């Protein structure tokens, strides 16, 4: 049997007396886009921070292409091919936009190959072109609108050429038009091709998002968290009918418009 592309097994993360993530298990296939949803405070951001090596989980395992990456540091996780964007965007505001992207792809591995700056610049330019802000590459990041900062985040992540891309609320704070544009970029990226110099095939994805009607149009499968636990998994159609999911969302958010 082929190994599973990505697997989380029984991940648990506590903050003092609070168990933010509790015994979470799920998989992502190489070709899949998986949505991660749940009410505010459900543990979504904490879960992906554990996967990305930003937080250390208390127990459980993360396997990527059969390799145990549970205790890897964040930069090692990026080198292995998993990159993420963050819910709260914090660029180096006075540095040029392109430098903000290059921060992500200047890796020790690139240095060993003697490609330290040049290759990284090419990748950064490609990534900025992909998200549509390459004409502003030399401006300081402070000129960017919130919507463009979200695109800068995506550029920074994809410039590392991930095989798994994790997005934390990519539509957060975007207008309907900007949301549509971001959704299009995500689909195009997943298909591969146009971002061709860097990717022959697009990355698998894990996407956290509150704008559920937009998210459901993009994802193959959904994992639902509530109080740190997985309460449901399945296709958008399946989870939207699950009584446990409906109950978790009652009076909070509209599940599917
Ligand atoms: N660094 C932290 N220290 C203490 N508690 C935290 C920390 N980060 C998150 N939490 C708590 O963990 C729970 C899950 O938070 P979070 O993962 O941000 O949820 P979500 O992203 O689903 O909204 C919340 O109760 C939150 O207050
Ligand atoms: Mg969050």
């Amino acid at each position: 049997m082929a190994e599973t592309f990505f697997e989380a097994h029984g991940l648990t993360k506590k903050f003092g007396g609070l168990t933010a993530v509790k015994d979470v298990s799920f998989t992502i296939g190489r070709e899949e886009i998986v949505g991660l949803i749940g009410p505010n405070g459900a543990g979504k951001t904490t879960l992906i921070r554990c996967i990305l090596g930003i937080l250390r989980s208390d127990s459980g395992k993360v396997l990527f292409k059969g390799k145990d990456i549970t205790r890897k540091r964040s930069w090692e996780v990026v080198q292995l091919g998993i990159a993420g964007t963050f819910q709260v965007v914090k660029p180096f505001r006075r540095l040029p936009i392109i430098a903000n992207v290059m921060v992500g792809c200047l890796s020790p591995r690139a240095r060993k190959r003697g490609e330290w700056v040049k290759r990284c610049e090419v990748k950064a330019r490609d990534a900025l072109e992909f998200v549509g802000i390459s004409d502003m590459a030399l401006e300081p990041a402070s000129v960017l609108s919130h919507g463009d900062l979200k695109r800068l985040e995506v550029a920074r992540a994809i410039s590392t050429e991930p095989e798994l891309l994790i997005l934390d609320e990519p539509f957060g704070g975007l207008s309907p038009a900007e949301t549509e544009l971001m959704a299009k970029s995500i689909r195009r990226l997943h298909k591969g091709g146009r971002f061709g110099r860097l990717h022959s095939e697009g990355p698998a994805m894990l996407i956290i998002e509150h704008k559920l009607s937009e998210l459901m149009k993009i994802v193959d499968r959904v994992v639902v968290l509530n109080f740190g636990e997985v309460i449901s998994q399945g296709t958008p159609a399946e989870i939207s009918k699950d009584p446990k999911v409906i109950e978790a969302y009652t009076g909070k958010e509209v599940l599917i418009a």
Side-chain angles (χ1 to χ4, degrees):
M1 214 177 76
E3 75 198 6
T4 306
F5 179 67
F6 175 92
E7 297 174 68
H9 285 293
L11 276 185
T12 296
K13 176 68 189 174
K14 293 178 187 164
F15 294 115
L18 174 81
T19 306
V21 172
K22 193 172 176 190
D23 197 23
V24 168
S25 301
F26 68 100
T27 63
I28 304 168
R30 177 63 187 87
E31 317 258 295
E32 273 192 311
I33 302 184
V34 174
L36 178 61
I37 70 168
N40 257 327
K44 306 178 297 292
T45 296
T46 303
L47 174 61
I48 66 162
R49 287 167 78 88
C50 290
I51 294 169
L52 289 166
I54 298 161
L55 286 174
R56 181 156 283 207
S57 51
D58 294 301
S59 55
K61 247 187 196 177
V62 181
L63 300 178
F64 182 57
K65 297 196 287 181
K67 194 181 163 99
D68 188 337
I69 63 160
T70 320
R71 296 274 168 257
K72 300 281 185 210
R73 258 94 51 90
S74 56
W75 59 270
E76 294 174 299
V77 172
V78 171
Q79 285 197 8
L80 288 165
I82 304 179
T85 66
F86 302 99
Q87 190 175 352
V88 181
V89 188
K90 282 193 205 141
F92 299 103
R93 305 191 75 87
R94 295 166 74 168
L95 285 185
I97 290 162
I98 189 157
N100 271 273
V101 176
M102 289 173 72
V103 166
C105 56
L106 280 167
S107 72
R109 192 176 51 171
R111 179 162 58 179
K112 263 188 225 141
R113 289 198 242 112
E115 298 161 339
W116 188 235
V117 176
K118 194 70 214 150
R119 189 172 147 81
C120 174
E121 190 189 334
V122 170
K123 286 185 193 180
R125 281 208 175 269
D126 263 5
L128 284 173
E129 206 165 289
F130 182 84
V131 299
I133 53 173
S134 60
D135 52 334
M136 295 190 274
L138 299 178
E139 305 274 331
S142 57
V143 305
L144 294 175
S145 65
H146 173 76
D148 286 340
L149 283 173
K150 287 293 223 193
R151 299 206 262 172
L152 169 61
E153 277 290 300
V154 173
R156 178 155 50 201
I158 66 180
S159 70
T160 69
E161 301 175 77
E163 281 183 76
L164 173 59
L165 178 64
I166 301 180
L167 305 172
D168 197 350
E169 302 203 18
F171 306 146
L174 299 189
S175 69
E178 287 171 328
T179 300
E180 185 54 41
L181 211 69
M182 179 66 86
K184 255 192 204 146
S185 297
I186 290 172
R187 276 197 218 101
R188 192 155 52 93
L189 179 67
H190 182 65
K191 281 199 201 119
R194 154 78 176 77
F195 195 47
R197 231 185 326 165
L198 301 186
H199 291 272
S200 49
E201 43 184 344
M205 296 186 186
L206 177 64
I207 307 179
I208 296 180
E209 188 48 62
H210 277 295
K211 292 186 179 168
L212 298 180
S213 56
E214 302 301 326
L215 181 72
M216 296 304 175
K217 289 184 214 155
I218 308 179
V219 298
D220 301 301
R221 238 162 17 87
V222 185
V223 174
V224 190
L225 283 188
N226 197 21
F227 297 113
E229 288 184 272
V230 175
I231 57 163
S232 188
Q233 298 201 41
T235 63
E238 284 164 1
I239 63 108
S240 63
K241 279 187 233 125
D242 187 332
K244 275 193 240 142
V245 177
I246 295 166
E247 197 195 321
Y249 272 94
T250 301
K252 283 173 186 146
E253 282 125 306
V254 180
L255 191 49
I256 294 179

